[in-house]
Amino acid sequence: MIEKQNLICYNINMKKLAKTLNKIFTDKTFIEDMSKNCNNIRQMQSVMGRILTYYISTRDTKIYSFQQMRDIIYQNPEPKNIKRHECAQEALIRNIIDQGFVTHSFNGFNLKKIKKYGLGSDKNYDTTLGAELARLEKDLGKSEFIEQQTNGPSEIYYTSPGTNSIYYAMQQSPERLFNGPLFQGEKPLPVLVGEKKEDYYLRVAIDKINKNYRLEEQQPIIDNARKVIKKLCSQRPQLALIPINSKKYALNANLATINGDSKPLTEYLQQQAGENMAGWVTSTFFANCFGGIHPSNCSNLVSTGVVVPASELEFVGIPDSFEILQVIAKQKGLKPGEKFDLNTLEKVEEKESEKQNSVSQTATNENTKEKQQEAVQYDQTPINDQITDYTLENKKTSCVNKDEGLSL
């Protein structure tokens, strides 16, 4: 456990860590270079996961280029904050466990409430959004998998840091929306180069509404879909850094998909490490995997009945996969307004008949807006949220880092 005299220093180091990671993950040049040098989204997630583990392990505060970072993150980590009485291994244990973190991934819409009430508080539940989302599920479909879940705001789903943290942050969030009303199946609508995420998913919703409802029934459903999508598709996904050790709370640990007696997280980690804590923290603790439960690391755990105060948390914004998807499309040479496939990122050639229908539909939509005197304006800043590269995978496998306050 952290000694009392070290708490102030610990909090300062935690803030520096979050600040460093936010600078890296919001840098436009970094994102563009990563998109150029990685073969696919999975590889990008792996690189970002390694970056997360590198900075937690070493507490380095220096910002590197992507090319420099790629060389550093796969080497044995060398702590930058070794104390006089410590060896390198002892400093690693201190950085990773004693003053280390687990992570919780969530939709950026929840950030304001989590900063106020912390994680695990029933106050994080947004009743207005819950009602709007329930109505949209009734209109456009509810995920059968989500329907079976019973988790609530008081449950904190978390994982040890690494690729898994990034993977979950970039998944569709919340699952209720993307595996239910906005689920598209094998043939999702093509994306327009330069299109914002909220505009794309509003098109997805309208396409479903057009296919299932008469014209006179559509507008109330469209209005509700617009409200939900704007709330949940317009902000960058977030990672909460949750200290493993604290004087103010004690996380408990249970595998997310297995019912059973939970135990204190610190006890669980010691049990996992056995007699070789030094070797375990560098080789096994970090969850450099893609979803699922792995007995060899600490991915996909749940803590119940515990509130982590906001004062104990730091937050890291994760690059939006939809933004990355748009960067890749432009790097392929696609021009603004051209269409590309959501899964393959290849250009979609539009037939002449489709072009005419598109022009006709646009004119119809504009007339409808004028008649109803709608004045909806969208924020034109770049959107940062999750990717739709896992359309079918999301339907089959659940992301266990549930969204704080969005579950009923």
Side-chain angles (χ1 to χ4, degrees):
M1 295 293 289
I2 303 171
E3 296 178 3
K4 188 173 182 180
Q5 59 265 33
N6 291 331
L7 282 174
I8 296 176
C9 181
Y10 177 34
N11 290 335
I12 292 173
N13 289 335
M14 186 177 177
K15 291 182 182 299
K16 285 183 178 179
L17 173 65
K19 184 177 180 180
T20 301
L21 290 169
N22 275 305
K23 281 184 177 179
I24 294 169
F25 290 148
T26 58
D27 184 75
K28 183 179 179 182
T29 301
F30 170 83
I31 294 173
E32 290 176 347
D33 289 346
M34 180 175 62
S35 300
K36 287 178 182 177
N37 288 278
C38 293
N39 296 324
N40 51 52
I41 293 293
R42 282 288 180 97
Q43 192 173 6
M44 295 180 204
Q45 292 171 340
S46 178
V47 168
M48 286 188 283
R50 293 285 182 172
I51 291 172
L52 179 64
T53 63
Y54 168 80
Y55 279 97
I56 289 175
S57 300
T58 65
R59 300 305 162 101
D60 196 348
T61 57
K62 186 176 179 181
I63 306 294
Y64 302 93
S65 69
F66 176 78
Q67 286 75 15
Q68 292 172 320
M69 193 79 71
R70 189 173 52 179
D71 295 332
I72 294 172
I73 58 178
Y74 291 103
Q75 299 175 6
N76 291 329
E78 298 180 3
K80 308 299 181 184
N81 60 344
I82 300 177
K83 297 180 179 181
R84 288 183 181 180
H85 64 279
E86 288 181 322
C87 65
Q89 283 190 332
E90 290 171 331
L92 284 173
I93 292 173
R94 175 166 56 84
N95 291 341
I96 297 171
I97 301 297
D98 296 342
Q99 297 182 10
F101 313 94
V102 290
T103 68
H104 170 80
S105 307
F106 61 96
N107 188 292
F109 173 79
N110 298 313
L111 181 60
K112 186 176 180 180
K113 283 197 172 185
I114 292 175
K115 281 187 172 181
K116 183 175 181 180
Y117 300 116
L119 280 173
S121 171
D122 290 337
K123 295 179 180 179
N124 288 331
Y125 181 72
D126 190 300
T127 54
T128 300
L129 176 59
E132 292 167 346
L133 194 48
R135 179 181 171 188
L136 195 61
E137 287 175 322
K138 182 178 179 181
D139 292 333
L140 297 183
K142 186 173 184 178
S143 166
E144 294 180 3
F145 182 84
I146 301 300
E147 202 168 18
Q148 298 169 8
Q149 296 180 351
T150 58
N151 61 289
S154 61
E155 295 181 341
I156 303 173
Y157 287 78
Y158 63 93
T159 183
S160 53
T163 301
N164 216 28
S165 307
I166 307 298
Y167 170 77
Y168 280 133
M170 285 189 168
Q171 289 286 75
Q172 299 295 14
S173 172
E175 293 178 275
R176 275 186 65 184
L177 179 64
F178 292 99
N179 284 352
L182 298 183
F183 182 70
Q184 298 192 74
E186 296 181 0
K187 295 182 179 180
L189 286 181
V191 182
L192 298 174
V193 176
E195 184 174 34
K196 293 171 61 178
K197 180 170 185 175
E198 62 186 279
D199 292 335
Y200 171 74
Y201 277 106
L202 183 58
R203 286 202 297 115
V204 171
I206 290 174
D207 182 66
K208 284 192 165 189
I209 293 166
N210 285 338
K211 291 176 180 177
N212 292 282
Y213 291 92
R214 297 190 300 272
L215 183 61
E216 60 271 21
E217 300 173 320
Q218 293 179 5
Q219 198 56 51
I221 304 174
I222 292 173
D223 291 342
N224 184 53
R226 180 182 284 115
K227 286 189 288 187
V228 171
I229 290 168
K230 187 165 182 64
K231 289 177 180 178
L232 297 178
C233 294
S234 63
Q235 299 183 58
R236 170 175 278 246
Q238 296 285 324
L239 277 185
L241 299 179
I242 311 171
I244 293 171
N245 292 292
S246 174
K247 297 287 186 180
K248 297 182 179 180
Y249 64 90
L251 287 177
N252 48 59
N254 191 24
L255 293 179
T257 59
I258 301 175
N259 293 323
D261 295 332
S262 63
K263 61 184 64 179
L265 175 59
T266 50
E267 180 183 329
Y268 178 83
L269 295 179
Q270 187 62 59
Q271 177 183 306
Q272 294 292 102
E275 299 297 323
N276 185 25
M277 177 64 78
W280 180 76
V281 294
T282 55
S283 65
T284 310
F285 169 72
F286 292 114
N288 288 311
C289 53
F290 295 93
I293 290 177
H294 298 261
S296 61
N297 58 43
C298 297
S299 59
N300 302 348
L301 299 173
V302 61
S303 181
T304 58
V306 176
V307 175
V308 180
S311 60
E312 296 288 287
L313 300 167
E314 287 294 335
F315 304 94
V316 178
I318 301 302
D320 166 56
S321 292
F322 200 84
E323 175 193 8
I324 292 176
L325 178 150
Q326 291 283 359
V327 169
I328 295 173
K330 291 175 183 177
Q331 289 175 345
K332 285 174 170 282
L334 274 67
K335 299 177 182 178
E338 291 184 328
K339 294 181 178 180
F340 61 92
D341 187 276
L342 189 64
N343 293 323
T344 67
L345 306 187
E346 296 299 326
K347 182 178 179 180
V348 174
E349 297 291 347
E350 195 171 22
K351 298 178 182 179
E352 190 62 34
S353 60
E354 291 176 341
K355 289 182 180 179
Q356 293 174 356
N357 288 339
S358 178
V359 172
S360 175
Q361 184 63 47
T362 300
T364 301
N365 289 343
E366 289 301 318
N367 288 336
T368 302
K369 289 180 182 179
E370 290 175 6
K371 289 178 182 179
Q372 296 180 345
Q373 296 180 338
E374 291 184 344
V376 178
Q377 296 180 342
Y378 291 101
D379 178 9
Q380 295 301 311
T381 54
I383 278 299
N384 295 309
D385 209 1
Q386 305 91 337
I387 197 165
T388 52
D389 201 17
Y390 308 101
T391 316
L392 290 178
E393 184 176 347
N394 280 348
K395 189 73 172 179
K396 296 174 183 176
T397 356
S398 172
C399 159
V400 302
N401 282 8
K402 304 298 175 192
D403 291 288
E404 190 78 12
L406 287 181
S407 303
L408 290 178

